[in-house]
Amino acid sequence: MKVFTQSVNFNADNKLIELVETKVSSLTKFHDKIVDAEVFLKVQNTSDKENKITEIKVNIPGSELIVKRETKTFEEGVNAAVDNLKRQLKRSKEKHRDSLIS
């Protein structure tokens, strides 16, 4: 699976990009037909501590799953978004399996 990472309003270091790719690539365990994933890391110029936005879009045949998280750090955001995507992928796969059976 290809993982495209874009950082908006800042330059992401290699450690962060590697973390993102590792976490997002682990989603293939939950759905075997993932085409690719796009990750957007954005920094908002606000006084809030939770000014880091992590948005992950996963493309699977027939649909795309999008999760957006606003957190203090990108690591937290990536972890929260990947956990949410795991649930969505499981649900999507079950729905697909159910439609094949009936």
Side-chain angles (χ1 to χ4, degrees), residues 28-53:
T28 55
K29 297 176 197 165
F30 300 95
H31 200 292
D32 52 351
K33 293 198 171 30
I34 296 175
V35 179
D36 63 8
E38 296 175 44
V39 181
F40 300 96
L41 305 172
K42 303 174 189 169
V43 176
Q44 280 188 323
N45 295 329
T46 62
S47 59
D48 292 344
K49 288 192 176 187
E50 294 193 350
N51 67 340
K52 309 220 177 10
I53 298 175

Side-chain angles (χ1 to χ4, degrees), residues 15-68:
K15 281 186 181 179
L16 180 60
I17 292 173
E18 284 176 21
L19 172 91
V20 167
E21 289 179 356
T22 304
K23 291 281 186 181
V24 174
S25 294
S26 73
L27 292 172
T28 55
K29 297 176 197 165
F30 300 95
H31 200 292
D32 52 351
K33 293 198 171 30
I34 296 175
V35 179
D36 63 8
E38 296 175 44
V39 181
F40 300 96
L41 305 172
K42 303 174 189 169
V43 176
Q44 280 188 323
N45 295 329
T46 62
S47 59
D48 292 344
K49 288 192 176 187
E50 294 193 350
N51 67 340
K52 309 220 177 10
I53 298 175
T54 306
E55 190 174 324
I56 303 177
K57 183 169 94 173
V58 175
N59 295 310
I60 56 176
S63 70
E64 56 186 29
L65 307 172
I66 300 173
V67 174
K68 191 174 186 178

